[in-house]
Amino acid sequence: MDNVKNTFKEVVAAIMPVTIVVIFLQIAIIRLPAEALLQFLVGVFFVSIGFFLFLLGVNAGLLPIGELIGKRLPRTKNAWLIIGTGLLLGIVVTIAEPDLRVLATQIDNVSDGAISATVLILSVSLGLAIFVALAMVRTLFNIPLHFVLLAGYAAVFLLSFFVPEAFVPISFDSGGVTTGPMAVPFILALGIGVASSLRPRDSKDGTEGFGLIGLASIGPILAVMILGVIF
């Protein structure tokens, strides 16, 4: 019951400021037709319900199962299985990411189909999955996070000089949308689970599993840039 109340408070805190600002702008400045405002309020209602149910599902299912998988995997003592699981989960959760689908559809429309939504989604998913697998490698072999981040963003910086100009903003937006409500809870829970199981002494404060999302977001940026080079 407490979980339901807390989730309801989170939804209200997330949705109400936007609603209040739009209503204020409607009254004071923009004065949209009443029909448009009504459509907005109906949309707010359905978004609130959907967001509430989604957060309940995340807290009840995604976070616990992600962390449980992360804790059970190291018990197999099979590094390839851990890395492969990170790769597979990275692909499927990114394909399911609603933010990515919105971006891919917009880019498909703006480019008149030159950059297909399907191609973009698959490229971004593969890019994120590869870097989730690299994050598992980092955790397994205790590689300092800043070394991997520096190498990743150095590659992004260098590749940006060889990519068509239109693909640079698309690539960074792709890195942003993959860190959305579907991918973040699952991947973060997976990383924390693996880290806490492999090195419990270093993970008492809970920080050992963090940094995975920042590292994983490099993958989509590089993937879209490489896609730009191919195009």
Side-chain angles (χ1 to χ4, degrees), residues 34-218:
E35 182 182 353
L37 181 61
L38 180 61
Q39 288 178 344
F40 169 75
L41 293 175
V42 170
V44 167
F45 174 73
F46 283 112
V47 166
S48 299
I49 293 175
F51 195 30
F52 175 76
L53 294 175
F54 175 79
L55 288 178
L56 277 181
V58 166
N59 293 324
L62 287 183
L63 287 176
I65 196 66
E67 192 166 349
L68 186 60
I69 291 173
K71 288 181 177 179
R72 292 290 178 88
L73 275 176
R75 296 181 187 178
T76 65
K77 297 181 180 180
N78 187 331
W80 288 111
L81 179 61
I82 297 172
I83 296 168
T85 301
L87 182 72
L88 180 61
L89 289 176
I91 292 175
V92 294
V93 298
T94 309
I95 291 175
E97 185 61 61
D99 294 351
L100 176 60
R101 294 188 173 274
V102 172
L103 177 67
T105 302
Q106 291 289 336
I107 292 172
D108 195 341
N109 292 337
V110 170
S111 66
D112 292 326
I115 306 175
S116 167
T118 302
V119 171
L120 186 66
I121 289 173
L122 292 177
S123 300
V124 170
S125 301
L126 184 60
L128 185 133
I130 290 172
F131 269 75
V132 170
L134 286 176
M136 294 294 103
V137 172
R138 184 197 78 82
T139 304
L140 285 169
F141 297 101
N142 201 19
I143 302 171
L145 178 63
H146 56 277
F147 288 164
V148 188
L149 288 175
L150 285 172
Y153 280 107
V156 168
F157 179 74
L158 291 174
L159 194 57
S160 65
F161 290 102
F162 304 97
V163 176
E165 187 176 344
F167 278 85
V168 176
I170 292 174
S171 65
F172 279 91
D173 281 346
S174 299
V177 297
T178 51
T179 54
M182 192 69 189
V184 170
F186 206 93
I187 293 175
L188 193 59
L190 176 69
I192 292 174
V194 170
S196 63
S197 181
L198 286 174
R199 289 186 298 279
R201 291 183 180 179
D202 297 335
S203 302
K204 286 182 180 179
D205 59 356
T207 60
E208 178 65 24
F210 288 92
L212 192 151
I213 299 299
L215 178 58
S217 65
I218 300 174

Side-chain angles (χ1 to χ4, degrees), residues 7-26:
T7 302
F8 179 76
K9 290 178 181 179
E10 288 181 35
V11 172
V12 171
I15 302 296
M16 283 304 295
V18 177
T19 306
I20 292 171
V21 168
V22 170
I23 292 175
F24 172 77
L25 291 174
Q26 161 67 11

